[in-house]
Amino acid sequence: MSSTAERRQQIEAKRAKLAELRKARADRQISDSNRRSAETSAGSFTPRNNDVDDLLSSILRESRGPGARNGEFDSGELTPSSSMPGTPLMGTSLLPSSLSGRASRNSDFASSIGTTLAPSTNSATDNVIDREMVPRFLPDLIDVEQELFELPTKKERVIYNKEVQTMEVETETPDLETETLQRGVSEIDLEALQAARDRELEEESVQLDKEIEEEIREIPPEELASILAAPELLEFVDSTTKMFYRAIHDYDPTRDYRVGTETGSDESEGRVKRVCEFFDEQYTKNRSITDVDWSPQYPELSVASYNKNAAALNEPDGIVAVWNLHLLERPEFVFHSQSDVLSVTFSPFHSNLVFGGTYSGQILLWDNRSKHLPVLKTPLSASGHTHPVYSMQMVGTQNAHNLITSSTDGTVCSCIDSFWVGTEEGNVYQANRYDRAGAKAGLNQYDVYKAHAGPVMGLHFHPTSGSVDFSDLFLTSSVDWTVKLWRSKSLAKPSTTLHAISPLYSFDESDDPVYDVKWHPTHPAVFGAVDGSGKFDLWNLNMDTEVPVVQTTVGSGRALNKLQWDKKDGRRAALGGSDGRLYIYDIGDMALPRELEWTDLQKTVSGMVGGAQTNGLVDGDVRSMAGR
């Protein structure tokens, strides 16, 4: 892994160098283009020498007057003050104004004296020929000498000390282009130099690309396989994909509200709606769900325990999967066990802990902050369970709580004073952990709750939450296809002789074994039951005691083993199937009780009449357990 990391760093460094070289070349090309544009713009405004000469000539001609164009002067302007005939006319100098005074003095600009015969314009001297004299014209020049210089400013006073003499002066080293310009290299040579440098950069860029490709191709297949199988990479992919799937399932962006909702016996019937279905081909295939529970802290989390997969000998015998309503594709966590896990529950006081009871009799504790294996487990000895643990429950408070477990070895490991157990022969017994007034420690064999003709599969006491106390009511389910409603006898008056207690009511609607039954956590008159034909029955005793208010066939009709209501508001029910699938159903407004539900249930219970059974008492194994 270290060599791979070093190779990756080298590749990244080469890529950064390549990007820097390409950027430098692009910047230089932009600067050259800007410089050429500036030079072109400056050259377009340079005046030509011919244009300047023509401008000066036109100015001089205009200053001499219109006669200068033909070699003549205007007589009106050059006529002397005396208008007498025969007066010589003074000519004007045609010296250029650009000549200096010194050059004019040293040069001979004398004009030749010309004699011209011209007819007289005077009438008195018509026959006289006047001679016009043109004298030499010498301009008056003045010598002016002037020295032009700038007065120096006041010199800065420099004081030399040790710090000045030893101070470091940072000087910028001029680059190749600046030195070339300073030395007077022609533009053609500079362009050739830049072209050569561009070719070097391009060759270096191609070489770096080849090196990067070679570095990538050099990873052998064995090393690549080890990289992909690294625990760090797998953990990263696992955590990131979980976040991705959660974001997807929080809201479906592809939902089309123009399409009607799907209907069917397994999707929606009455007021019960299927929310989702949890199944994983890798972990839960060929397994059955043995128990389910909801997280008290996170209402979107549920847990399910699974038995052995007989077709996979290399997989663990038992697993526990934590499912998330926002992560439907795979479990949030998966825990392993060396034995089938038959019961499972979240810790109500520690959100990271999950307890499980196994077929071997061991109690396991998993922590989702650790790996797949349990962090604690009970030893396989006579001091604990030696048979399968089918039921467990956490009781107590944050500072004082205990885990209660029951097994088919006939023992209950707990720290509570009183509890009820269901047995394989169909009876229910009350037991005490300690001696108390009028009752001894152990199983009370005199008060027998006798009605079922088969093993008791589920037992649940009514939750206490309302104006009327129904904590003495409990439900049982059995393989005899029935659900029974019981009222527990007062613990203060135990029987001293054999006494059979009959149920208050029997619900005989099912046609298959009823594997589990649970009171609703918030509605006093509602409970649910699941059976071997895949039916989910929802009962409301204030509405009907003969038939369930809603009966739904779940999935493909395979047996449903477990039922658990969510602990937040009881709107959702988790149903564990023998096909290894966990179904989540929503009962909607049926979970919301009215104010009169408690008083109505009190009237309903008072009007119920139970039928007593007279079968004899037979010792049996403990299957179900509930504590008060």
Side-chain angles (χ1 to χ4, degrees):
M1 292 299 293
S2 60
S3 60
T4 304
E6 293 177 358
R7 185 177 293 107
R8 187 180 296 107
Q9 293 178 359
Q10 294 175 0
I11 292 174
E12 295 298 334
K14 291 179 179 180
R15 287 178 176 171
K17 183 178 179 181
L18 178 59
E20 184 178 356
L21 293 175
R22 290 175 176 172
K23 183 177 183 300
R25 183 175 62 184
D27 295 341
R28 186 171 59 259
Q29 291 176 354
I30 293 173
S31 61
D32 294 342
S33 177
N34 295 336
R35 180 173 55 80
R36 294 191 186 98
S37 300
E39 292 176 355
T40 304
S41 301
S44 61
F45 292 101
T46 304
R48 297 178 298 175
N49 295 332
N50 296 335
D51 296 339
V52 175
D53 295 339
D54 294 341
L55 180 61
L56 291 176
S57 301
S58 63
I59 293 173
L60 291 175
R61 286 195 300 269
E62 291 176 358
S63 63
R64 294 170 184 170
R69 298 176 183 176
N70 299 324
E72 298 178 358
F73 293 95
D74 189 359
S75 59
E77 293 177 357
L78 299 178
T79 302
S81 57
S82 175
S83 60
M84 294 180 61
T87 303
L89 299 175
M90 302 297 293
T92 56
S93 175
L94 299 177
L95 293 175
S97 59
S98 62
L99 295 177
S100 64
R102 191 183 305 270
S104 300
R105 181 182 58 185
N106 297 331
S107 302
D108 187 7
F109 292 97
S111 301
S112 62
I113 300 175
T115 303
T116 303
L117 298 178
S120 176
T121 58
N122 193 346
S123 60
T125 58
D126 291 338
N127 297 323
V128 180
I129 296 175
D130 294 333
R131 177 174 292 178
E132 183 175 342
M133 303 296 292
V134 181
R136 179 186 296 176
F137 178 75
L138 296 176
D140 295 333
L141 301 177
I142 301 176
D143 293 334
V144 178
E145 294 182 0
Q146 184 176 2
E147 183 178 0
L148 300 177
F149 63 90
E150 296 181 358
L151 294 176
T153 58
K154 185 178 180 181
K155 294 184 179 180
E156 182 180 0
R157 185 178 181 184
V158 180
I159 300 176
Y160 294 94
N161 52 25
K162 184 177 181 181
E163 294 180 356
V164 174
Q165 296 175 2
T166 59
M167 183 177 61
E168 295 182 359
V169 179
E170 297 181 358
T171 58
E172 297 183 357
T173 304
D175 54 5
L176 181 59
E177 296 180 4
T178 305
E179 292 179 355
T180 305
L181 291 175
Q182 292 177 354
R183 294 173 183 175
V185 180
S186 64
E187 184 178 354
I188 298 176
D189 296 338
L190 181 59
E191 291 180 354
L193 185 61
Q194 291 177 352
R197 188 168 181 179
D198 289 342
R199 286 193 297 271
E200 293 178 0
L201 290 177
E202 186 65 28
E203 293 175 358
E204 188 172 0
S205 174
V206 173
Q207 183 65 25
L208 285 175
D209 289 336
K210 291 182 180 179
E211 292 180 2
I212 291 173
E213 293 178 359
E214 292 176 358
E215 291 288 347
I216 294 175
R217 286 196 301 268
E218 284 179 359
I219 301 178
E222 297 79 5
E223 186 175 355
L224 182 60
S226 63
I227 293 174
L228 296 178
E232 295 82 1
L233 178 61
L234 297 178
E235 184 176 358
F236 170 76
V237 173
D238 182 71
S239 60
T240 52
T241 52
K242 283 180 182 179
M243 291 186 291
F244 175 75
Y245 284 122
R246 289 172 193 161
I248 290 178
H249 292 295
D250 278 346
Y251 174 72
D252 184 8
T254 62
R255 177 178 297 175
D256 189 355
Y257 292 98
R258 298 171 297 179
V259 180
T261 57
E262 296 182 1
T263 58
S265 60
D266 63 337
E267 291 291 341
S268 177
E269 185 173 339
R271 286 171 288 179
V272 175
K273 178 183 177 181
R274 192 175 76 176
V275 177
C276 61
E277 172 186 327
F278 293 120
F279 180 78
D280 189 273
E281 190 73 19
Q282 177 182 356
Y283 296 109
T284 64
K285 184 179 180 180
N286 299 327
R287 298 179 185 266
S288 297
I289 294 180
T290 57
D291 199 7
V292 294
D293 193 24
W294 287 88
S295 172
Q297 293 85 6
Y298 303 104
E300 69 273 12
L301 296 183
S302 59
V303 63
S305 58
Y306 297 82
N307 60 5
K308 183 186 302 182
N309 180 7
L313 300 178
N314 296 327
E315 295 182 2
D317 289 347
I319 65 169
V320 171
V322 178
W323 298 94
N324 192 334
L325 291 177
H326 305 314
L327 183 63
L328 305 182
E329 283 74 14
R330 58 192 178 90
E332 186 79 25
F333 303 103
V334 176
F335 305 120
H336 296 171
S337 171
Q338 296 178 348
S339 179
D340 298 22
V341 183
L342 304 180
S343 56
V344 68
T345 182
F346 276 107
S347 173
F349 311 109
H350 302 87
S351 60
N352 305 107
L353 303 182
V354 177
F355 292 92
T358 65
Y359 184 83
S360 63
Q362 283 184 299
I363 306 299
L364 306 181
L365 173 63
W366 294 279
D367 192 329
N368 59 22
R369 294 166 295 187
S370 301
K371 300 297 182 181
H372 302 289
L373 299 178
V375 294
L376 289 176
K377 56 184 178 180
T378 59
L380 289 171
S381 63
S383 59
H385 293 297
T386 57
H387 284 67
V389 179
Y390 280 99
S391 180
M392 61 172 44
Q393 183 178 354
M394 181 73 71
V395 297
T397 62
Q398 175 71 34
N399 298 324
H401 50 271
N402 294 281
L403 181 67
I404 311 170
T405 59
S406 64
S407 171
T408 54
D409 59 5
T411 60
V412 175
C413 298
S414 69
C415 296
I416 60 175
D417 295 336
S418 180
F419 53 90
W420 276 254
V421 294
T423 61
E424 285 188 349
E425 87 279 0
N427 297 333
V428 177
Y429 296 92
Q430 184 267 329
N432 298 317
R433 187 176 180 223
Y434 302 106
D435 291 336
R436 53 189 307 171
K440 293 182 179 181
L443 194 69
N444 183 2
Q445 298 183 5
Y446 298 105
D447 292 323
V448 182
Y449 299 84
K450 189 177 182 64
H452 288 295
V456 177
M457 305 302 295
L459 190 155
H460 192 225
F461 268 84
H462 194 287
T464 303
S465 59
S467 57
V468 181
D469 185 10
F470 296 109
S471 61
D472 57 344
L473 299 180
F474 66 92
L475 294 166
T476 58
S477 63
S478 173
V479 296
D480 64 357
W481 303 0
T482 64
V483 174
K484 309 291 185 182
L485 175 63
W486 307 81
R487 172 167 279 166
S488 62
K489 187 179 179 181
S490 175
L491 299 178
K493 298 178 181 180
S495 300
T496 57
T497 60
L498 184 61
H499 175 67
I501 302 175
S502 300
L504 295 179
Y505 200 83
S506 179
F507 305 94
D508 304 330
E509 177 65 21
S510 178
D511 295 332
D512 280 275
V514 183
Y515 290 116
D516 201 6
V517 63
K518 288 291 190 303
W519 286 103
H520 193 270
T522 60
H523 199 297
V526 173
F527 69 88
V530 293
D531 61 18
S533 63
K535 289 187 177 64
F536 170 41
D537 295 338
L538 190 63
W539 295 79
N540 189 332
L541 300 182
N542 289 339
M543 298 178 63
D544 199 335
T545 59
E546 297 295 331
V547 294
V549 293
V550 176
Q551 187 176 77
T552 303
T553 301
V554 178
S556 60
R558 298 283 297 275
L560 298 177
N561 297 333
K562 287 295 179 178
L563 162 66
Q564 190 65 260
W565 299 101
D566 75 275
K567 295 178 173 59
K568 182 180 179 182
D569 52 11
R571 291 181 62 94
R572 291 187 292 266
L575 312 176
S578 60
D579 57 355
R581 300 177 186 272
L582 180 63
Y583 303 92
I584 307 298
Y585 273 77
D586 192 330
I587 66 172
D589 294 339
M590 293 187 64
L592 304 177
R594 297 178 294 108
E595 294 182 0
L596 300 178
E597 296 289 355
W598 281 266
T599 57
D600 291 346
L601 179 60
Q602 189 176 26
K603 296 177 183 179
T604 302
V605 172
S606 300
M608 287 181 174
V609 178
Q613 301 292 333
T614 59
N615 294 335
L617 178 62
V618 180
D619 292 338
D621 296 336
V622 177
R623 292 285 305 208
S624 299
M625 176 274 301
R628 293 180 58 184

